[in-house]
Amino acid sequence: GGNLAVTADRVQLQGEGAVRMNTFGPGDAGNATLTVDQLDITSGGSIAMQSLGAGNAGTVAVNANRSVTVTGAGTAGPSGIYSNAFSTGNGGQITVTAPDINLDNGARIQAGVGTSPTLPGLPPATAATQAGSITLQGQRVNVSGLAQVSTQSDNAGQAGDVAINATESLNITSPAGSVQSGVFSTASGAGAGGSISIIGGQLVMDGGAINVSSANTGDAGSITVNTGAVSLQSGAQVSTSVSGTGNGGVLTVMATGDVSLDGQASDGFSSGIYSQTSGSGTGGDVAVSGSNVSLANNATVNSESLGTGDAGDISVTALSSVELASASITTAAANADGGNIKVTASDLVYLQNSDITAAVGGGLGNGGNVDIDPQFVVLSSSNILASAIGGNGGNITIVADHFISSPDSVLNASSQLGINGTIS
């Protein structure tokens, strides 16, 4: 197919207005390049690249001097920028560059590999089929009103990656509910999920989600957040989850400044960083680091196994302090081994009405180990647990110059039916 280049001060795609580049056979589709001051995609408008054969879908490159806004939906579906591979050909890359990138009101930037809703009889993707990836580059990226940036694989094809580089901020805002604003990569077949990378000034989430997941044999991708600061509130979540035989991806949150997790949504879901497996796959490990790491008002860092796969490990590291106020750092397993927890800070680890728990609730799984290493450990009406029921209890090791504990605080590494762990 031929290439398409559009140069204009402003481009508006409204209603059924669209830029479409398709291939139906062995030839590759052409590429689309939009060079503008401002791009507005509203009320169901779209840029859509599709491979419906053995040829590869083309790339989409949007370069805007001012802004890119994608919002709303129309009769054909959400406004968006799309790249889909519906047969054996690869999907195309989506790249959007602008100082301000805004997604709102159910809009989508999406790249996937799956089955065509209008031509279901096409030859299916193979393990060699690659979905397109998504790259957003700007000063400010805003995702709100149930809008989503996502990649997915619904069959044997491999889902693409998502990379967001927001030099000032990535802001995600969402109401509570089963559908959320956010950034996602999912795998529901044999193909692997893509990875998500967030780089920039700060990540601010008021509700919403950043999630990688696998529901079948494919592994989930990883999540890497590397920013100046991280703030999650109102039930916001950064998470990796698997429910089949695929393994969970590694979840890493790094900030040169503070990491703050606070509060919960109106439906009771806590702000937090999560790793969960409910199948036979192993849960992904979680690593959180910052200048100060604080959790408050039911916020959590949680790694959990609800199936037979082991829970992932948790590592929390702070240059200065780790402080929990009515919050928790928890690994848990129903029928497998619990994950280990390591908390390291130069100065202080302070728990107030809070828990650090590496426990196993049932089965023969062993409790995880808990290691804490600052200068000061202060426990106020708080618990540090590494307990088990059928398996062995984990070990609790605290290395500190000063250990201060209220009388009602508890350290427990026991097992009801197995061997007790040690507390050092």
Side-chain angles (χ1 to χ4, degrees):
N3 297 320
L4 172 68
V6 177
T7 302
D9 289 339
R10 185 178 184 188
V11 171
Q12 295 174 282
L13 300 172
Q14 300 174 330
E16 299 300 313
V19 173
R20 294 194 178 101
M21 309 279 280
N22 298 333
T23 175
F24 296 89
D28 293 342
N31 302 317
T33 303
L34 285 75
T35 304
V36 299
D37 280 343
Q38 182 176 334
L39 171 64
D40 296 311
I41 305 176
T42 64
S43 61
S46 64
I47 300 174
M49 318 294 279
Q50 295 185 105
S51 170
L52 296 133
N56 299 324
T59 62
V60 180
V62 177
N63 299 290
N65 294 324
R66 291 174 53 195
S67 65
V68 172
T69 299
V70 189
T71 182
T75 56
S79 306
I81 302 174
Y82 299 93
S83 174
N84 288 302
F86 289 133
S87 189
T88 57
N90 297 326
Q93 310 300 310
I94 298 174
T95 303
V96 180
T97 304
D100 289 284
I101 301 172
N102 304 300
L103 280 77
D104 189 27
N105 197 18
R108 298 286 188 269
I109 296 180
Q110 175 182 302
V113 54
T115 301
S116 169
T118 56
L119 298 170
L122 295 172
T126 69
T129 303
Q130 298 286 330
S133 295
I134 298 172
T135 301
L136 307 182
Q137 301 179 92
Q139 296 176 23
R140 295 162 293 275
V141 178
N142 302 304
V143 182
S144 60
L146 307 184
Q148 296 182 354
V149 179
S150 66
T151 64
Q152 61 270 342
S153 169
D154 298 332
N155 50 30
Q158 311 305 311
D161 299 330
V162 178
I164 299 178
N165 187 344
T167 56
E168 289 187 14
S169 62
L170 168 60
N171 297 284
I172 298 174
T173 305
S174 180
S178 58
V179 178
Q180 295 180 305
S181 312
V183 183
F184 304 89
S185 183
T186 61
S188 57
S195 296
I196 296 174
S197 171
I198 310 293
I199 300 172
Q202 59 180 343
L203 170 63
V204 180
M205 299 178 65
D206 189 349
I210 298 173
N211 171 261
V212 292
S213 63
S214 168
N216 207 305
T217 58
D219 292 340
S222 61
I223 296 177
T224 302
V225 176
N226 190 348
T227 59
V230 174
S231 174
L232 276 59
Q233 59 185 4
S234 303
Q237 57 176 297
V238 179
S239 63
T240 174
S241 58
V242 290
S243 56
T245 59
N247 297 318
V250 175
L251 197 166
T252 305
V253 176
M254 298 179 291
T256 55
D258 293 345
V259 176
S260 173
L261 315 179
D262 192 355
Q264 58 188 30
S266 58
D267 60 4
F269 193 89
S270 296
S271 302
I273 299 172
Y274 294 87
S275 172
Q276 185 182 87
T277 173
S278 56
S280 59
T282 300
D285 293 337
V286 176
V288 181
S289 62
S291 180
N292 296 283
V293 178
S294 63
L295 287 72
N297 301 314
N298 297 311
T300 186
V301 177
N302 178 278
S303 176
E304 184 176 22
S305 170
L306 302 175
T308 57
D310 292 341
D313 297 335
I314 293 177
S315 170
V316 178
T317 305
L319 291 177
S320 182
S321 65
V322 176
E323 300 187 37
L324 280 66
S326 301
S328 63
I329 299 173
T330 304
T331 64
N335 300 294
D337 287 346
N340 301 315
I341 298 175
K342 185 175 183 179
V343 179
T344 305
S346 296
D347 299 327
L348 172 68
V349 172
Y350 177 44
L351 276 64
Q352 181 179 18
N353 298 313
S354 298
D355 300 313
I356 295 179
T357 305
V360 174
L364 299 176
N366 299 316
N369 298 318
V370 177
D371 291 279
I372 300 175
D373 188 359
Q375 291 189 38
F376 292 84
V377 173
V378 179
L379 306 181
S380 176
S381 303
S382 297
N383 303 308
I384 299 177
L385 309 175
S387 55
I389 295 179
N392 299 327
N395 300 319
I396 298 175
T397 303
I398 298 174
V399 179
D401 293 338
H402 304 275
F403 178 79
I404 303 168
S405 176
S406 66
D408 58 344
S409 295
V410 175
L411 277 70
N412 187 337
S414 65
S415 171
Q416 291 187 20
L417 302 175
I419 300 173
N420 293 335
T422 62
I423 298 175
S424 304

CSV table of all heavy atoms in Angstrom, one decimal, residues 305-368:
chain,number,residue,atom,x,y,z
A,305,SER,N,-1.3,-15.2,46.2
A,305,SER,CA,-1.6,-16.4,45.4
A,305,SER,C,-2.9,-17.0,45.9
A,305,SER,O,-3.0,-17.4,47.1
A,305,SER,CB,-0.5,-17.5,45.6
A,305,SER,OG,-0.9,-18.7,45.0
A,306,LEU,N,-3.9,-17.0,45.0
A,306,LEU,CA,-5.1,-17.7,45.2
A,306,LEU,C,-5.2,-19.1,44.6
A,306,LEU,O,-6.3,-19.7,44.8
A,306,LEU,CB,-6.3,-16.8,44.7
A,306,LEU,CG,-6.3,-15.4,45.3
A,306,LEU,CD1,-7.4,-14.6,44.6
A,306,LEU,CD2,-6.6,-15.4,46.8
A,307,GLY,N,-4.2,-19.5,43.9
A,307,GLY,CA,-4.2,-20.8,43.2
A,307,GLY,C,-3.0,-21.6,43.7
A,307,GLY,O,-2.6,-21.6,44.9
A,308,THR,N,-2.4,-22.4,42.8
A,308,THR,CA,-1.3,-23.3,43.2
A,308,THR,C,0.0,-22.7,42.9
A,308,THR,O,1.1,-23.2,43.3
A,308,THR,CB,-1.4,-24.6,42.5
A,308,THR,OG1,-1.5,-24.4,41.1
A,308,THR,CG2,-2.7,-25.3,42.9
A,309,GLY,N,0.1,-21.6,42.2
A,309,GLY,CA,1.4,-20.9,41.9
A,309,GLY,C,1.8,-20.1,43.1
A,309,GLY,O,1.0,-19.6,43.9
A,310,ASP,N,3.1,-20.0,43.3
A,310,ASP,CA,3.7,-19.3,44.4
A,310,ASP,C,3.5,-17.8,44.3
A,310,ASP,O,3.5,-17.2,43.2
A,310,ASP,CB,5.2,-19.6,44.6
A,310,ASP,CG,5.5,-21.0,45.0
A,310,ASP,OD1,4.6,-21.7,45.5
A,310,ASP,OD2,6.6,-21.5,44.8
A,311,ALA,N,3.3,-17.1,45.4
A,311,ALA,CA,3.2,-15.7,45.4
A,311,ALA,C,4.6,-15.1,45.1
A,311,ALA,O,5.6,-15.6,45.5
A,311,ALA,CB,2.7,-15.2,46.8
A,312,GLY,N,4.6,-13.9,44.5
A,312,GLY,CA,5.8,-13.2,44.3
A,312,GLY,C,6.4,-12.5,45.5
A,312,GLY,O,5.7,-12.4,46.5
A,313,ASP,N,7.7,-12.2,45.4
A,313,ASP,CA,8.3,-11.5,46.5
A,313,ASP,C,8.1,-10.0,46.5
A,313,ASP,O,7.8,-9.4,45.4
A,313,ASP,CB,9.9,-11.8,46.5
A,313,ASP,CG,10.2,-13.2,46.7
A,313,ASP,OD1,9.4,-13.9,47.3
A,313,ASP,OD2,11.3,-13.6,46.2
A,314,ILE,N,8.3,-9.3,47.6
A,314,ILE,CA,8.1,-7.9,47.7
A,314,ILE,C,9.4,-7.3,48.3
A,314,ILE,O,9.9,-7.7,49.3
A,314,ILE,CB,6.9,-7.5,48.6
A,314,ILE,CG1,5.6,-7.9,47.9
A,314,ILE,CG2,6.9,-5.9,48.8
A,314,ILE,CD1,4.4,-7.6,48.8
A,315,SER,N,9.9,-6.2,47.6
A,315,SER,CA,11.1,-5.5,48.1
A,315,SER,C,10.7,-4.0,48.2
A,315,SER,O,10.2,-3.4,47.2
A,315,SER,CB,12.3,-5.7,47.2
A,315,SER,OG,13.3,-4.8,47.6
A,316,VAL,N,10.8,-3.4,49.3
A,316,VAL,CA,10.6,-1.9,49.5
A,316,VAL,C,11.8,-1.3,50.0
A,316,VAL,O,12.3,-1.7,51.1
A,316,VAL,CB,9.4,-1.7,50.5
A,316,VAL,CG1,9.2,-0.2,50.7
A,316,VAL,CG2,8.1,-2.3,49.9
A,317,THR,N,12.3,-0.3,49.3
A,317,THR,CA,13.6,0.4,49.6
A,317,THR,C,13.4,1.9,49.7
A,317,THR,O,12.9,2.4,48.7
A,317,THR,CB,14.7,0.0,48.6
A,317,THR,OG1,14.8,-1.4,48.5
A,317,THR,CG2,16.0,0.6,49.0
A,318,ALA,N,14.0,2.5,50.7
A,318,ALA,CA,13.9,4.0,50.8
A,318,ALA,C,15.2,4.5,51.2
A,318,ALA,O,15.9,4.0,52.1
A,318,ALA,CB,12.8,4.4,51.8
A,319,LEU,N,15.6,5.7,50.6
A,319,LEU,CA,16.8,6.4,51.0
A,319,LEU,C,16.7,6.9,52.5
A,319,LEU,O,17.7,6.9,53.2
A,319,LEU,CB,17.1,7.5,50.1
A,319,LEU,CG,17.5,7.2,48.6
A,319,LEU,CD1,17.7,8.4,47.8
A,319,LEU,CD2,18.8,6.3,48.7
A,320,SER,N,15.4,7.3,52.9
A,320,SER,CA,15.3,7.8,54.2
A,320,SER,C,14.4,6.9,55.0
A,320,SER,O,14.8,6.2,55.9
A,320,SER,CB,14.7,9.2,54.1
A,320,SER,OG,14.6,9.8,55.5
A,321,SER,N,13.0,6.9,54.8
A,321,SER,CA,12.1,6.2,55.7
A,321,SER,C,11.0,5.4,54.9
A,321,SER,O,10.6,5.8,53.8
A,321,SER,CB,11.4,7.2,56.6
A,321,SER,OG,10.6,8.1,55.9
A,322,VAL,N,10.5,4.4,55.5
A,322,VAL,CA,9.3,3.7,55.1
A,322,VAL,C,8.3,3.8,56.3
A,322,VAL,O,8.6,3.3,57.4
A,322,VAL,CB,9.6,2.2,54.8
A,322,VAL,CG1,8.3,1.4,54.5
A,322,VAL,CG2,10.6,2.0,53.7
A,323,GLU,N,7.2,4.4,56.0
A,323,GLU,CA,6.2,4.7,57.0
A,323,GLU,C,4.8,4.2,56.6
A,323,GLU,O,4.4,4.4,55.5
A,323,GLU,CB,6.1,6.2,57.3
A,323,GLU,CG,7.5,6.7,57.8
A,323,GLU,CD,7.4,8.2,58.3
A,323,GLU,OE1,6.3,8.5,58.9
A,323,GLU,OE2,8.3,9.0,58.0
A,324,LEU,N,4.2,3.4,57.5
A,324,LEU,CA,2.9,2.8,57.3
A,324,LEU,C,2.0,3.3,58.4
A,324,LEU,O,2.3,3.2,59.6
A,324,LEU,CB,2.9,1.3,57.3
A,324,LEU,CG,3.4,0.5,56.1
A,324,LEU,CD1,4.8,0.8,55.8
A,324,LEU,CD2,3.1,-0.9,56.2
A,325,ALA,N,0.8,3.9,58.0
A,325,ALA,CA,-0.2,4.4,58.9
A,325,ALA,C,-1.5,3.8,58.5
A,325,ALA,O,-2.1,4.2,57.5
A,325,ALA,CB,-0.3,5.9,59.0
A,326,SER,N,-2.0,2.8,59.3
A,326,SER,CA,-3.2,2.1,58.9
A,326,SER,C,-3.1,1.5,57.5
A,326,SER,O,-4.0,1.7,56.7
A,326,SER,CB,-4.5,3.0,59.1
A,326,SER,OG,-4.6,3.4,60.4
A,327,ALA,N,-2.0,0.8,57.3
A,327,ALA,CA,-1.7,0.3,55.9
A,327,ALA,C,-1.0,-1.0,56.1
A,327,ALA,O,-0.8,-1.5,57.2
A,327,ALA,CB,-0.9,1.3,55.2
A,328,SER,N,-0.6,-1.6,54.9
A,328,SER,CA,0.0,-2.9,55.0
A,328,SER,C,1.0,-3.2,53.8
A,328,SER,O,0.8,-2.7,52.7
A,328,SER,CB,-1.1,-4.0,55.0
A,328,SER,OG,-1.8,-4.0,53.7
A,329,ILE,N,1.9,-4.1,54.1
A,329,ILE,CA,2.8,-4.7,53.1
A,329,ILE,C,2.6,-6.2,53.3
A,329,ILE,O,2.9,-6.7,54.4
A,329,ILE,CB,4.3,-4.3,53.2
A,329,ILE,CG1,4.4,-2.8,53.1
A,329,ILE,CG2,5.1,-5.0,52.2
A,329,ILE,CD1,5.8,-2.3,53.3
A,330,THR,N,2.1,-6.9,52.3
A,330,THR,CA,1.6,-8.2,52.6
A,330,THR,C,1.9,-9.2,51.4
A,330,THR,O,1.7,-8.8,50.2
A,330,THR,CB,0.0,-8.2,52.8
A,330,THR,OG1,-0.3,-7.3,53.8
A,330,THR,CG2,-0.5,-9.6,53.1
A,331,THR,N,2.4,-10.4,51.7
A,331,THR,CA,2.3,-11.5,50.8
A,331,THR,C,1.4,-12.6,51.4
A,331,THR,O,1.5,-12.8,52.7
A,331,THR,CB,3.7,-12.1,50.5
A,331,THR,OG1,4.3,-12.6,51.7
A,331,THR,CG2,4.6,-11.0,49.9
A,332,ALA,N,0.7,-13.3,50.6
A,332,ALA,CA,-0.2,-14.3,51.1
A,332,ALA,C,-0.4,-15.4,50.1
A,332,ALA,O,-0.3,-15.1,48.9
A,332,ALA,CB,-1.6,-13.7,51.5
A,333,ALA,N,-0.7,-16.6,50.6
A,333,ALA,CA,-1.0,-17.7,49.7
A,333,ALA,C,-2.0,-18.6,50.3
A,333,ALA,O,-2.1,-18.8,51.5
A,333,ALA,CB,0.3,-18.5,49.4
A,334,ALA,N,-2.9,-19.1,49.5
A,334,ALA,CA,-4.0,-20.0,49.9
A,334,ALA,C,-3.5,-21.5,49.9
A,334,ALA,O,-3.7,-22.2,50.9
A,334,ALA,CB,-5.2,-19.9,49.1
A,335,ASN,N,-2.8,-21.9,48.8
A,335,ASN,CA,-2.4,-23.3,48.7
A,335,ASN,C,-1.0,-23.4,48.2
A,335,ASN,O,-0.6,-24.5,47.7
A,335,ASN,CB,-3.3,-24.0,47.7
A,335,ASN,CG,-4.8,-23.9,48.2
A,335,ASN,OD1,-5.1,-24.6,49.2
A,335,ASN,ND2,-5.6,-23.2,47.4
A,336,ALA,N,-0.2,-22.4,48.3
A,336,ALA,CA,1.2,-22.4,47.8
A,336,ALA,C,2.1,-21.7,48.8
A,336,ALA,O,1.7,-21.3,49.9
A,336,ALA,CB,1.3,-21.7,46.4
A,337,ASP,N,3.4,-21.5,48.4
A,337,ASP,CA,4.3,-20.8,49.3
A,337,ASP,C,4.1,-19.3,49.2
A,337,ASP,O,3.8,-18.7,48.1
A,337,ASP,CB,5.7,-21.1,48.9
A,337,ASP,CG,6.2,-22.5,49.2
A,337,ASP,OD1,5.5,-23.1,50.0
A,337,ASP,OD2,7.2,-22.9,48.7
A,338,GLY,N,4.1,-18.6,50.4
A,338,GLY,CA,4.0,-17.2,50.4
A,338,GLY,C,5.3,-16.5,50.0
A,338,GLY,O,6.4,-17.1,50.0
A,339,GLY,N,5.2,-15.3,49.5
A,339,GLY,CA,6.4,-14.6,49.0
A,339,GLY,C,7.2,-14.0,50.2
A,339,GLY,O,6.7,-13.9,51.3
A,340,ASN,N,8.4,-13.7,49.9
A,340,ASN,CA,9.3,-13.0,50.9
A,340,ASN,C,9.1,-11.5,50.9
A,340,ASN,O,8.7,-10.9,49.8
A,340,ASN,CB,10.7,-13.4,50.7
A,340,ASN,CG,11.0,-14.8,50.8
A,340,ASN,OD1,10.5,-15.5,51.7
A,340,ASN,ND2,11.8,-15.4,49.8
A,341,ILE,N,9.3,-10.8,52.0
A,341,ILE,CA,9.2,-9.4,52.1
A,341,ILE,C,10.6,-8.8,52.6
A,341,ILE,O,11.1,-9.3,53.7
A,341,ILE,CB,8.1,-8.9,53.0
A,341,ILE,CG1,6.7,-9.4,52.5
A,341,ILE,CG2,8.1,-7.4,53.2
A,341,ILE,CD1,5.6,-9.1,53.4
A,342,LYS,N,11.1,-7.9,51.9
A,342,LYS,CA,12.3,-7.2,52.4
A,342,LYS,C,12.1,-5.7,52.4
A,342,LYS,O,11.7,-5.1,51.4
A,342,LYS,CB,13.5,-7.5,51.5
A,342,LYS,CG,14.8,-7.0,52.0
A,342,LYS,CD,16.0,-7.4,51.1
A,342,LYS,CE,17.3,-6.9,51.6
A,342,LYS,NZ,18.5,-7.4,50.8
A,343,VAL,N,12.3,-5.1,53.6
A,343,VAL,CA,12.1,-3.6,53.7
A,343,VAL,C,13.4,-3.0,54.2
A,343,VAL,O,13.9,-3.4,55.3
A,343,VAL,CB,11.0,-3.3,54.8
A,343,VAL,CG1,10.8,-1.8,54.9
A,343,VAL,CG2,9.7,-3.9,54.3
A,344,THR,N,14.0,-2.1,53.4
A,344,THR,CA,15.3,-1.5,53.7
A,344,THR,C,15.1,0.0,53.7
A,344,THR,O,14.6,0.6,52.7
A,344,THR,CB,16.3,-1.9,52.7
A,344,THR,OG1,16.3,-3.4,52.6
A,344,THR,CG2,17.7,-1.4,53.0
A,345,ALA,N,15.7,0.7,54.7
A,345,ALA,CA,15.7,2.1,54.8
A,345,ALA,C,16.9,2.6,55.5
A,345,ALA,O,17.4,1.9,56.4
A,345,ALA,CB,14.4,2.6,55.5
A,346,SER,N,17.4,3.7,55.1
A,346,SER,CA,18.6,4.3,55.8
A,346,SER,C,18.3,4.7,57.2
A,346,SER,O,19.1,4.5,58.1
A,346,SER,CB,19.2,5.5,55.0
A,346,SER,OG,19.6,5.1,53.7
A,347,ASP,N,17.1,5.3,57.4
A,347,ASP,CA,16.8,5.8,58.7
A,347,ASP,C,15.8,5.1,59.5
A,347,ASP,O,16.1,4.5,60.5
A,347,ASP,CB,16.4,7.3,58.6
A,347,ASP,CG,17.4,8.2,58.0
A,347,ASP,OD1,18.6,7.9,58.2
A,347,ASP,OD2,17.1,9.1,57.2
A,348,LEU,N,14.5,5.0,59.0
A,348,LEU,CA,13.4,4.6,59.8
A,348,LEU,C,12.4,3.7,59.1
A,348,LEU,O,12.1,3.9,57.9
A,348,LEU,CB,12.6,5.9,60.3
A,348,LEU,CG,11.3,5.7,61.0
A,348,LEU,CD1,11.5,5.1,62.4
A,348,LEU,CD2,10.6,7.1,61.1
A,349,VAL,N,12.0,2.7,59.8
A,349,VAL,CA,10.8,1.9,59.4
A,349,VAL,C,9.8,2.1,60.6
A,349,VAL,O,10.0,1.6,61.7
A,349,VAL,CB,11.1,0.4,59.2
A,349,VAL,CG1,9.8,-0.4,59.0
A,349,VAL,CG2,12.0,0.3,57.9
A,350,TYR,N,8.6,2.7,60.2
A,350,TYR,CA,7.7,3.1,61.3
A,350,TYR,C,6.3,2.5,60.9
A,350,TYR,O,5.8,2.8,59.8
A,350,TYR,CB,7.6,4.6,61.4
A,350,TYR,CG,6.6,5.1,62.4
A,350,TYR,CD1,6.4,4.5,63.7
A,350,TYR,CD2,5.8,6.2,62.1
A,350,TYR,CE1,5.5,5.0,64.6
A,350,TYR,CE2,4.8,6.7,63.0
A,350,TYR,CZ,4.7,6.1,64.2
A,350,TYR,OH,3.8,6.5,65.1
A,351,LEU,N,5.7,1.7,61.8
A,351,LEU,CA,4.4,1.1,61.6
A,351,LEU,C,3.5,1.6,62.7
A,351,LEU,O,3.8,1.4,63.9
A,351,LEU,CB,4.4,-0.4,61.6
A,351,LEU,CG,4.8,-1.2,60.3
A,351,LEU,CD1,6.3,-0.9,59.9
A,351,LEU,CD2,4.6,-2.7,60.5
A,352,GLN,N,2.3,2.2,62.3
A,352,GLN,CA,1.3,2.6,63.2
A,352,GLN,C,0.0,2.0,62.8
A,352,GLN,O,-0.5,2.3,61.7
A,352,GLN,CB,1.2,4.2,63.2
A,352,GLN,CG,0.2,4.7,64.2
A,352,GLN,CD,0.1,6.2,64.2
A,352,GLN,OE1,0.5,6.8,63.3
A,352,GLN,NE2,-0.5,6.7,65.3
A,353,ASN,N,-0.6,1.1,63.6
A,353,ASN,CA,-1.8,0.4,63.3
A,353,ASN,C,-1.7,-0.3,61.9
A,353,ASN,O,-2.6,-0.2,61.1
A,353,ASN,CB,-3.0,1.4,63.3
A,353,ASN,CG,-3.2,2.0,64.7
A,353,ASN,OD1,-3.2,1.2,65.7
A,353,ASN,ND2,-3.4,3.3,64.7
A,354,SER,N,-0.5,-0.9,61.7
A,354,SER,CA,-0.2,-1.4,60.4
A,354,SER,C,0.4,-2.8,60.5
A,354,SER,O,0.7,-3.3,61.6
A,354,SER,CB,0.7,-0.5,59.6
A,354,SER,OG,0.1,0.8,59.4
A,355,ASP,N,0.5,-3.5,59.3
A,355,ASP,CA,1.0,-4.9,59.2
A,355,ASP,C,2.0,-5.0,58.2
A,355,ASP,O,1.9,-4.5,57.0
A,355,ASP,CB,-0.2,-5.8,59.0
A,355,ASP,CG,-1.3,-5.8,60.0
A,355,ASP,OD1,-0.9,-5.8,61.2
A,355,ASP,OD2,-2.5,-5.7,59.6
A,356,ILE,N,3.0,-5.8,58.5
A,356,ILE,CA,3.9,-6.4,57.5
A,356,ILE,C,3.8,-7.9,57.6
A,356,ILE,O,4.1,-8.5,58.7
A,356,ILE,CB,5.4,-6.0,57.6
A,356,ILE,CG1,5.5,-4.5,57.4
A,356,ILE,CG2,6.3,-6.8,56.7
A,356,ILE,CD1,6.9,-4.0,57.5
A,357,THR,N,3.2,-8.6,56.6
A,357,THR,CA,2.7,-10.0,56.8
A,357,THR,C,3.2,-10.8,55.6
A,357,THR,O,2.9,-10.4,54.5
A,357,THR,CB,1.2,-10.0,56.9
A,357,THR,OG1,0.8,-9.2,58.0
A,357,THR,CG2,0.7,-11.4,57.2
A,358,ALA,N,3.8,-11.9,55.9
A,358,ALA,CA,4.1,-12.9,54.9
A,358,ALA,C,3.6,-14.3,55.4
A,358,ALA,O,4.3,-15.1,55.9
A,358,ALA,CB,5.7,-13.0,54.7
A,359,ALA,N,2.3,-14.4,55.2
A,359,ALA,CA,1.5,-15.5,55.8
A,359,ALA,C,0.9,-16.4,54.8
A,359,ALA,O,0.7,-16.0,53.6
A,359,ALA,CB,0.5,-15.0,56.7
A,360,VAL,N,0.7,-17.7,55.2
A,360,VAL,CA,0.0,-18.7,54.3
A,360,VAL,C,-1.3,-19.1,55.1
A,360,VAL,O,-1.2,-19.5,56.2
A,360,VAL,CB,0.9,-19.9,54.1
A,360,VAL,CG1,0.1,-21.0,53.4
A,360,VAL,CG2,2.1,-19.5,53.3
A,361,GLY,N,-2.4,-18.9,54.4
A,361,GLY,CA,-3.7,-19.2,55.0
A,361,GLY,C,-4.1,-20.6,55.1
A,361,GLY,O,-5.0,-21.0,55.9
A,362,GLY,N,-3.6,-21.5,54.2
A,362,GLY,CA,-4.1,-22.9,54.3
A,362,GLY,C,-3.1,-23.7,53.5
A,362,GLY,O,-2.1,-23.3,52.9
A,363,GLY,N,-3.4,-25.0,53.3
A,363,GLY,CA,-2.6,-25.9,52.6
A,363,GLY,C,-1.3,-26.2,53.3
A,363,GLY,O,-1.1,-26.0,54.5
A,364,LEU,N,-0.3,-26.7,52.5
A,364,LEU,CA,1.0,-27.1,53.0
A,364,LEU,C,2.0,-26.0,52.7
A,364,LEU,O,3.2,-26.3,52.9
A,364,LEU,CB,1.4,-28.4,52.5
A,364,LEU,CG,0.4,-29.6,52.8
A,364,LEU,CD1,0.9,-30.9,52.2
A,364,LEU,CD2,0.4,-29.8,54.4
A,365,GLY,N,1.7,-24.9,52.2
A,365,GLY,CA,2.6,-23.9,51.8
A,365,GLY,C,3.4,-23.3,53.0
A,365,GLY,O,2.8,-23.2,54.1
A,366,ASN,N,4.6,-22.8,52.8
A,366,ASN,CA,5.4,-22.2,53.8
A,366,ASN,C,5.2,-20.7,53.9
A,366,ASN,O,5.0,-20.1,52.8
A,366,ASN,CB,6.9,-22.6,53.6
A,366,ASN,CG,7.2,-24.1,53.6
A,366,ASN,OD1,6.7,-24.8,54.5
A,366,ASN,ND2,7.9,-24.5,52.7
A,367,GLY,N,5.3,-20.2,55.1
A,367,GLY,CA,5.2,-18.7,55.2
A,367,GLY,C,6.5,-18.1,54.6
A,367,GLY,O,7.5,-18.7,54.6
A,368,GLY,N,6.3,-16.9,54.1
A,368,GLY,CA,7.5,-16.2,53.6
A,368,GLY,C,8.4,-15.6,54.7
A,368,GLY,O,8.0,-15.6,55.8
